[in-house]
Amino acid sequence: MDSGTHLVMGLGLGGLAMIDPAVSSSPAVFTAVMAGTIIGSQAPDLDGLLRIKSNAAYIKNHRGVTHSIPAIAIWTVLITVILQLLYKGTLPWLHVLGWVLLAVVLHVVTDLFNAYGTQAMRPFSDKWISWNIIHIFDPVIFASHIIALLLWAIFGAAPQIIFPLLYAGLVVYFIWRTSAQRRLMDELPKLDPEHQRGESYILIPTISLQRWNLIKVLQDNSFAIGNVNKGILKWVDHARCSAHPAVHQSKSDPSVQAFLYLTAFACAEVKEHPWGFEVRWADVRYRHRQQYPFMATLLMDKDYKTLASYVGWLSDERLEKRLRMNTY
């Protein structure tokens, strides 16, 4: 999920903690737990600091080790210990640890429902797990938290009532979204008049509850890109992946390696210039305004020597400006 959603979820979990008598009976414990759930709901995304090193380092590691099983335990213990030190050991540590643990786990679990995914099973597997059910910014999750928090803060509604109802409702919502995605996946071969045996589909959630982006992997390893809106399928693009020698050479570049490490839906195209080659890798899962903003691009001379490279989220226009700046 996005940072704003994780923040309101941290606040919501602090409200939910009021069902715990050890929390509701002590303002000091409540304050500590609220701080713990807010920090715990943000902690796994501290890998964002890798942007300081390089965009490639951030892309390759974001939602990686910081979202792993060992990291969940480390974040939980670290935050709990810091709170205990600040409160000079007066907190009921088991209660504080439990609510912090819930915040960290909920962060990782909700990220699994996005298309971006996480490496939540490390160290047992470094596979990226993405269930493609909830958009990275889900208006239902965000708005429901805002409403509950306003009812509590402004109208004095009992947190012991509104937050259990909020999270019970969200459990139902996640189940419904999962069921809707699976039903639509089963219907896709019937909705697609061009379907052939051996082709596979991947649905990508959008901010709309009725609209899904769709990727079809064709038998020649190219990609058909479309969307399904209220049960109506529409194809909008066909991405054919180049087999130019420059594509193979580009895979040795750290930016491209970081990109390919993250996605199994990468497709490359090559543009030849008088000075060399431009290899542009695009993640076909993310199509916006007829572009693929999540990309890795490499400029090479005719001897395949790197001139400039970039990996990340950019429009075509901003990418061209960025590469020109790096080249000169």
Side-chain angles (χ1 to χ4, degrees):
M1 312 301 294
D2 69 298
S3 297
T5 301
H6 284 309
L7 174 60
V8 296
M9 292 183 75
L11 292 166
L13 289 174
L16 181 65
M18 291 293 283
I19 64 175
D20 183 346
V23 176
S24 60
S25 63
S26 170
V29 176
F30 165 72
T31 302
V33 167
M34 176 64 82
T37 56
I38 293 173
I39 297 170
S41 69
Q42 297 289 330
D45 282 346
L46 283 177
D47 54 16
L49 294 174
L50 287 169
R51 292 181 189 271
I52 299 173
K53 180 179 180 181
S54 71
N55 222 34
Y58 169 73
I59 292 294
K60 185 173 182 178
N61 294 285
H62 180 49
R63 293 193 180 186
V65 66
T66 60
H67 288 61
S68 65
I69 294 173
I72 291 174
I74 293 170
W75 291 127
T76 301
V77 172
L78 181 62
I79 295 168
T80 303
V81 169
I82 292 174
L83 289 171
Q84 284 286 8
L85 291 174
L86 291 174
Y87 282 82
K88 298 180 180 179
T90 61
L91 299 174
W93 69 270
L94 192 59
H95 292 262
V96 176
L97 184 143
W99 288 108
V100 172
L101 174 62
L102 179 60
V104 177
V105 169
L106 196 59
H107 177 120
V108 174
V109 170
T110 53
D111 279 353
L112 289 170
F113 282 84
N114 304 151
Y116 198 95
T118 78
Q119 290 181 311
M121 290 306 296
R122 291 180 68 168
F124 304 106
S125 171
D126 61 357
K127 179 182 179 181
W128 289 93
I129 304 171
S130 53
W131 294 335
N132 303 309
I133 292 169
I134 302 292
H135 190 261
I136 193 169
F137 175 79
D138 187 287
V140 172
I141 298 173
F142 187 82
S144 61
H145 275 84
I146 294 296
I147 292 170
L149 291 167
L150 290 176
L151 288 173
W152 180 27
I154 297 178
F155 298 101
Q160 296 90 339
I161 297 176
I162 58 175
F163 288 103
L165 288 176
L166 167 65
Y167 286 104
L170 287 177
V171 168
V172 173
Y173 174 67
F174 272 73
I175 293 173
W176 170 71
R177 286 286 288 175
T178 302
S179 177
Q181 190 238 36
R182 291 181 177 177
R183 286 198 308 270
L184 185 54
M185 282 292 294
D186 292 338
E187 295 172 2
L188 283 175
K190 300 176 183 178
L191 294 175
D192 182 10
E194 302 174 7
H195 172 74
Q196 297 183 20
R197 181 176 295 181
E199 296 175 341
S200 60
Y201 299 92
I202 176 173
L203 283 170
I204 308 295
T206 70
I207 199 168
S208 169
L209 300 183
Q210 299 293 327
R211 187 177 185 275
W212 298 77
N213 289 337
L214 177 63
I215 308 298
K216 179 168 69 170
V217 184
L218 304 176
Q219 293 178 343
D220 61 357
N221 291 321
S222 64
F223 301 94
I225 296 94
N227 59 70
V228 182
N229 192 4
K230 298 179 180 179
I232 300 175
L233 188 154
K234 179 182 179 182
W235 296 113
V236 297
D237 198 7
H238 184 195
R240 296 187 181 277
C241 308
S242 173
H244 192 283
V247 172
H248 176 72
Q249 293 292 331
S250 72
K251 293 180 181 180
S252 61
D253 181 80
S255 295
V256 174
Q257 289 176 349
F259 182 81
L260 297 178
Y261 180 71
L262 181 64
T263 178
F265 297 90
C267 193
E269 65 173 350
V270 177
K271 294 181 181 179
E272 296 193 26
H273 300 278
W275 43 262
F277 308 99
E278 175 185 350
V279 183
R280 183 171 298 191
W281 289 89
D283 190 331
V284 297
R285 295 177 298 174
Y286 305 109
R287 189 175 190 271
H288 180 65
R289 296 180 180 177
Q290 302 181 4
Q291 296 181 0
Y292 298 94
F294 185 43
M295 63 182 76
T297 300
L298 187 68
L299 305 183
M300 297 184 289
D301 63 19
K302 291 186 177 294
D303 295 322
Y304 303 112
K305 180 181 178 181
T306 298
L307 301 175
S309 65
Y310 178 80
V311 59
W313 299 82
L314 281 180
S315 66
D316 286 349
E317 295 78 11
R318 291 179 63 190
L319 175 66
E320 290 176 4
K321 293 179 181 178
R322 178 85 177 237
L323 290 174
R324 283 201 298 270
M325 289 175 60
N326 289 343
T327 302
Y328 297 122

